[in-house]
Amino acid sequence: MRRIPTGIEVLDKALEGGVPQGSWVVVTGEPGVGKSILCIHFAYAGLRSGDPVVYVTTEQEFRDVMEQARQLGMDFSQFSVYNIAWKKEPEELPEIVVIDIFGLLKVARQLTEKAREESPDKVRRYAALSIDTLIEAINEAYEILAVAKERGSPERHVRLVIDSMSAFWVDKPVMARKYSYQLKIATHRENVTAMLTSQYAPTTRQAYGFGLEHIADGVIHMWMDDVETAKEIRRWLIIKKMRMTAHSARAYRVKIEPGRGMVLDEA
């Protein structure tokens, strides 16, 4: 079995070398625990190993992701980046294709226009934060990366990051399970290893919308101790499940360090 490293040495050791190829891994936790930083490590490790990356970010613009990564010792600017929101065609084959809210808006407009042409009397309008739009954008990214022919299964390994999935059911959390299944059925491929984040509510410590963890092959949960009690920020990470992996069952202390990024304490 080929394992896909996360880019964090201690975590990869806890996973017997990394995530099984083709897995869907969900990273859960409340805001501020480090979910996005884990995604940055995963994407950066892929780029360094030669894997093309599709990076969906609904939380912030990708230039802010790049700046945060640079501060943590990961320089995305050394790789060819293309944003599907851009009007110009890529001048060279990208190594990472970015899908942010502006890219999703562009794809939603394209889908709506196509629906208008096919059925002028009954036009379906697509929203930027819809699963159908997300699926279309991911398939477009595969085409731009030249990893799949005619929207088929990628012929080489691709890393997919979606940060976060919670944005796609923010107005209807009861639909989370349906949307999660729809996305996985449409985009899950043996040559695609995915890392997706899901928000937990700080007050209830429960997922905002149930469903994503149920379709995941692996779940990495992150949290922090109550800051009013601890009087400091103490972050933690534990692997709740990972298919085909005799993973560590213990919790790891998480530190975020300039120039190093996420550091897990084995002690």
Side-chain angles (χ1 to χ4, degrees):
M1 180 191 305
R2 183 188 176 199
R3 293 192 174 271
I4 309 302
T6 64
I8 301 173
E9 185 177 355
V10 173
L11 181 56
D12 289 333
K13 182 179 177 182
L15 291 167
E16 297 189 306
V19 175
Q21 179 174 317
S23 295
W24 274 47
V25 179
V26 175
V27 184
T28 63
E30 64 189 272
V33 293
K35 301 185 300 299
S36 296
I37 293 175
L38 179 52
C39 289
I40 289 172
H41 275 282
F42 180 72
Y44 189 69
L47 293 170
R48 294 189 66 188
S49 66
D51 283 341
V53 173
V54 177
Y55 202 110
V56 182
T57 171
T58 62
E59 303 293 324
Q60 55 188 328
E61 292 187 50
F62 190 70
R63 64 182 179 182
D64 295 330
V65 175
M66 291 180 65
E67 176 58 25
Q68 183 180 27
R70 186 190 63 78
Q71 294 174 357
L72 297 173
M74 294 171 279
D75 183 9
F76 278 82
S77 66
Q78 63 184 301
F79 302 99
S80 176
V81 179
Y82 182 77
N83 191 320
I84 66 168
W86 293 344
K87 294 181 179 179
K88 64 179 182 178
E89 296 292 323
E91 297 177 357
E92 59 181 333
L93 186 66
E95 294 166 279
I96 175 170
V97 172
V98 176
I99 303 169
D100 58 16
I101 189 62
F102 301 105
L104 291 168
L105 280 167
K106 176 184 175 182
V107 172
R109 292 192 193 104
Q110 292 172 348
L111 288 172
T112 300
E113 184 59 32
K114 183 179 179 181
R116 180 179 290 109
E117 292 173 357
E118 293 176 350
S119 180
D121 298 330
K122 191 177 181 181
V123 178
R124 176 181 177 184
R125 298 189 180 278
Y126 289 82
L129 293 175
S130 75
I131 293 299
D132 289 331
T133 300
L134 176 61
I135 291 169
E136 179 71 14
I138 291 171
N139 284 328
E140 183 174 325
Y142 291 159
E143 287 187 357
I144 295 169
L145 289 169
V147 296
K149 295 181 179 179
E150 298 181 357
R151 306 207 168 190
S153 178
E155 297 175 344
R156 57 181 292 198
H157 184 254
V158 178
R159 296 192 186 210
L160 170 64
V161 170
I162 304 178
D163 182 26
S164 82
M165 281 299 301
S166 300
F168 293 93
W169 50 71
V170 65
D171 59 337
K172 47 179 80 72
V174 294
M175 300 296 288
R177 180 174 293 191
K178 177 183 177 180
Y179 290 163
S180 298
Y181 275 107
Q182 183 181 346
L183 178 67
K184 187 169 185 179
I185 290 170
T187 62
H188 180 254
R189 303 290 186 271
E190 186 59 34
N191 266 347
V192 178
T193 305
M195 181 170 286
L196 311 90
T197 68
S198 177
Q199 296 283 2
Y200 264 50
T203 51
T204 63
R205 301 236 172 175
Q206 292 182 337
Y208 187 69
F210 296 98
L212 193 57
E213 293 184 38
H214 295 278
I215 60 99
D217 303 300
V219 176
I220 297 173
H221 182 56
M222 302 181 70
W223 74 96
M224 66 172 69
D225 291 340
D226 179 69
V227 292
E228 294 182 3
T229 302
K231 295 182 174 57
E232 64 175 337
I233 296 175
R234 291 201 298 251
R235 300 180 177 94
W236 299 89
L237 176 152
I238 194 167
I239 305 163
K240 291 175 67 173
K241 75 170 183 177
M242 190 68 63
R243 69 180 178 91
M244 296 182 289
T245 305
H247 60 81
S248 169
R250 56 165 299 181
Y252 292 86
R253 178 78 180 270
V254 176
K255 298 178 182 177
I256 310 298
E257 299 183 2
R260 296 184 66 192
M262 184 174 292
V263 179
L264 301 188
D265 188 354
E266 293 184 281

